[in-house]
């Protein structure tokens, strides 16, 4: 069963921020929220992950609601190269724990000039 | 640059003819994974190695096998490819089982 729900597609104008929503209402306390993306004909690429605090790195920001039932990935200044399928995944994480990376359908993001 | 390398990028095989796909990594990661991605679908985990320990997903067909002769290399063997095995095969690595996974570019397999 899918643990996350994402819109199937969204468009974004180049240079604008892209806000990608994800619902994960059944997330448990030890599960993290991960985001990956897959550009056409390439392997998936890790973007960011978080547990309950907001996170930011050079690629994106991750905003997790206080109840942890949803999150938003923010690409601050979308470029044409950000066109990809974006996957939101919840999984447990630890040096000795095995949390399977289960990909759902994802969101196809198209950045237009 | 440290990376995950898959060869070949494109592989054509005949129905029923065994084929081997290879993956190598320079990241010195402990875990290596094989995923299958069919057209317009999300990647699906087939199996993974944690060091030398092999872990098979319950629904991975017996037709798929894997070998990891050392830390750097991992192979995917398809013993008798069927038309339904045509897909992109993705190799990934992570430092530990719960860590971020780094993917290779994939090998696109065509079965004729």
């Amino acid at each position: 069963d899918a643990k996350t729900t994402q819109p199937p597609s969204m468009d974004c104008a180049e240079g604008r921020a892209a806000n990608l929503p994800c619902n994960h209402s059944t997330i448990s306390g030890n599960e993290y929220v991960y985001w990956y993306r897959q550009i056409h004909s390439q392997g998936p690429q890790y973007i960011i992950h978080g547990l309950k605090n907001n996170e930011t790195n050079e690629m994106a920001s991750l905003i997790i609601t206080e109840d942890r039932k949803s999150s938003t990935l923010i690409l601050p200044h979308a470029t044409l190269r950000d066109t990809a399928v974006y996957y939101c995944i919840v999984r447990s994480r630890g040096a000795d724990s095995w949390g399977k990376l289960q990909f759902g359908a994802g969101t196809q993001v198209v950045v237009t000039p | 640059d440290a990376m995950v390398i898959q060869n070949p990028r494109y592989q054509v095989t005949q129905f029923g003819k065994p084929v081997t796909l290879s993956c190598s990594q320079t990241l010195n990661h402990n875990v290596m994974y094989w995923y299958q991605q069919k057209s317009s679908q999300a990647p699906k985990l087939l199996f993974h190695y944690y060091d030398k320990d092999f872990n098979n997903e319950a629904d991975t067909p017996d037709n798929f096998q894997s070998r990891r002769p050392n830390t750097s290399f991992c192979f995917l063997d398809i013993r008798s490819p069927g038309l339904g095995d045509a897909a992109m095969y993705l190799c990934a690595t992570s430092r530990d089982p719960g860590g971020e996974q780094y993917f290779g570019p994939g090998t696109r397999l065509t079965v004729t």
Side-chain angles (χ1 to χ4, degrees), chain A residues 24-83:
Chain A
H24 31 79
S25 57
T26 61
I27 192 170
S28 57
N30 66 343
E31 288 183 317
Y32 287 68
V33 180
Y34 278 75
W35 284 85
Y36 282 75
R37 74 179 183 183
Q38 188 173 23
I39 296 169
H40 183 64
S41 295
Q42 296 184 21
Q45 177 188 22
Y46 166 78
I47 301 173
I48 199 169
H49 74 277
L51 182 62
K52 54 183 177 180
N53 297 322
N54 298 338
E55 302 288 344
T56 296
N57 63 20
E58 64 279 3
M59 289 183 68
S61 295
L62 174 61
I63 308 298
I64 303 174
T65 58
E66 193 168 345
D67 63 7
R68 301 208 323 123
K69 293 185 177 182
S70 65
S71 60
T72 301
L73 179 74
I74 301 172
L75 307 177
H77 304 287
T79 70
L80 299 179
R81 289 173 293 188
D82 292 323
T83 292

Side-chain angles (χ1 to χ4, degrees), chain B residues 11-61:
Chain B
Q11 176 74 56
V12 180
T13 191
Q14 293 177 334
F15 182 94
K17 185 175 181 180
V19 65
T20 295
L21 309 182
S22 71
C23 176
S24 64
Q25 54 127 344
T26 61
L27 297 161
N28 203 32
H29 282 173
N30 296 312
V31 192
M32 296 187 76
Y33 311 79
W34 280 104
Y35 289 82
Q36 178 192 62
Q37 185 174 26
K38 295 187 177 181
S39 180
S40 301
Q41 296 183 19
K44 178 178 178 299
L45 182 65
L46 294 173
F47 26 61
H48 76 278
Y49 272 97
Y50 182 14
D51 289 332
K52 296 182 180 180
D53 293 333
F54 177 71
N55 297 272
N56 200 34
E57 290 299 297
D59 56 354
T60 298

